[in-house]
Amino acid sequence: MEIDRTALAAFLRRRRELLQSENVGLPRGPRRRTVGLRREEVAELCHMSTDYYARLERERGPQPSESMIASMAQGLHLSLDERDHLFRLAGHAPPVRGTGAVGEHISPGLLRVLDRLADTPAEVVTELGETLRQTPLGVALTGDTTGFAGPARSIGYRWFTDPGTRALYEPADHAFLSRMFVSGLREVAALRGPGSRASHYAELLLARSDEFRDLWDRHEVGIRPHHVKRFVHPEVGALELNCQTLLDPDQSHRLVVYTAVPGSESHERLRLLAVIGPRALR
């Protein structure tokens, strides 16, 4: 496939013009005259330089890589069909997808909800517990968990291979969380089948962790998270947060939102965390 620079440029311009500040969690200034978003705003959302993005809209520059196209599709809040169209215009085959298949493209609707939760700890995760996007307060609560690579992207994998992962959670809950992560991985591995990423993670953990191996042999399924999660934050201390989950069945993504009971000690500590930010966490 060859890149269609003219159609690609036109498509990018049109999608940028259709996006409004409030659609992507940006404040709308009183003097805004641009139709839709500015190029520099879209470039920031797509994690690329303004010059690089501008050249694409002007039918210039190198052919974008597949990772660049995926980043643009996410930044522009494209649907899966629009994402696939963007890949083809850029001269690439779209990612393979199917009903319920695991993907990393977050739906525009889920992104719009997340963008409106700037003052709330929230994250979008895959069925394997891989964080795709976090709110600023979500980063302050758990650290930036989007930067891991390979199997370590999954919190269930890190739980059994990186002791530091457990430090953020109430010690009395560790045994239950271990069972929950193993149960969840077993269910996903059965759903996706041999050769899936879930099955690969299970094989790696069976070789690396005695605890995982012992729990895997129990064949437990159906262990669900508690509605209240207990954290031990290095800056603000103990937090008891209610956990609400919104599921996107097409992508098997979950939007997880953490809230505290108004007036509670955890509520006050969460407000303090919003002030001090993520400085104590990686």
Side-chain angles (χ1 to χ4, degrees):
M1 298 176 67
E2 294 185 3
I3 183 173
D4 187 337
R5 293 189 180 279
T6 300
L8 175 63
F11 184 71
L12 291 176
R13 286 194 299 270
R14 180 56 177 163
R15 296 309 307 176
R16 175 172 60 82
E17 291 169 356
L18 289 174
L19 278 180
Q20 301 300 317
S21 302
E22 54 269 26
N23 296 146
V24 296
L26 296 174
R28 172 174 284 277
R31 298 181 180 178
R32 176 177 287 273
R33 297 177 181 176
T34 306
V35 177
L37 296 184
R38 302 183 181 93
R39 285 196 180 107
E40 57 267 27
E41 292 172 326
V42 168
E44 183 177 356
L45 290 170
C46 297
H47 305 291
M48 61 184 59
S49 71
T50 301
D51 177 68
Y52 185 94
Y53 178 81
R55 282 188 291 163
L56 291 176
E57 282 202 1
R58 293 169 181 152
E59 304 180 27
R60 299 204 299 262
Q63 180 183 23
S65 66
E66 293 183 13
S67 61
M68 278 288 194
I69 292 299
S71 184
M72 282 192 284
Q74 195 67 85
L76 289 165
H77 285 47
L78 301 185
S79 68
L80 282 175
D81 289 335
E82 292 166 339
R83 179 205 65 177
D84 290 354
H85 181 63
L86 182 63
F87 266 84
R88 294 186 183 100
L89 292 179
H92 297 295
V96 177
R97 59 176 166 128
T99 303
V102 179
E104 300 201 358
H105 184 80
I106 306 171
S107 71
L110 211 57
L111 272 180
R112 284 193 292 271
V113 176
L114 183 72
D115 288 337
R116 284 161 173 74
L117 297 173
D119 60 347
T120 304
E123 59 183 350
V124 176
V125 300
T126 70
E127 62 187 5
L128 291 173
E130 301 154 326
T131 305
L132 301 178
R133 189 73 66 90
Q134 295 170 282
T135 60
L137 195 50
V139 175
L141 176 65
T142 64
D144 185 354
T145 53
T146 63
F148 291 98
R153 294 181 61 203
S154 167
I155 186 175
Y157 184 87
R158 297 196 305 275
W159 185 263
F160 293 100
T161 58
D162 178 8
T165 300
R166 304 191 181 200
L168 193 60
Y169 298 85
E170 166 60 45
D173 296 337
H174 286 186
F176 169 79
L177 291 172
S178 293
R179 293 174 58 221
M180 183 193 75
F181 286 132
V182 174
S183 166
L185 183 58
R186 178 177 289 283
E187 292 180 46
V188 178
L191 175 65
R192 302 304 174 197
S196 65
R197 196 156 76 247
S199 294
H200 177 57
Y201 288 2
E203 291 170 1
L204 292 176
L205 288 170
L206 285 169
R208 292 195 58 178
S209 170
D210 291 338
E211 180 189 11
F212 179 88
R213 190 161 49 250
D214 290 342
L215 292 172
W216 187 260
D217 287 342
R218 296 186 187 183
H219 290 267
E220 292 183 311
V221 294
I223 299 178
R224 299 293 179 250
H226 293 149
H227 293 301
V228 175
K229 286 193 175 182
R230 300 193 293 178
F231 295 90
V232 183
H233 194 277
E235 288 279 352
V236 302
L239 290 161
E240 291 191 359
L241 303 179
N242 292 293
C243 180
Q244 284 81 36
T245 301
L246 177 65
L247 175 65
D248 177 358
D250 291 333
Q251 283 290 89
S252 297
H253 293 162
R254 291 162 174 78
L255 171 61
V256 184
V257 183
Y258 301 99
T259 60
V261 176
S264 66
E265 189 171 4
S266 291
H267 185 257
E268 294 304 313
R269 290 178 176 177
L270 200 57
R271 292 176 61 184
L272 175 60
L273 184 59
V275 174
I276 64 177
R279 66 189 184 196
L281 297 172
R282 64 180 178 180

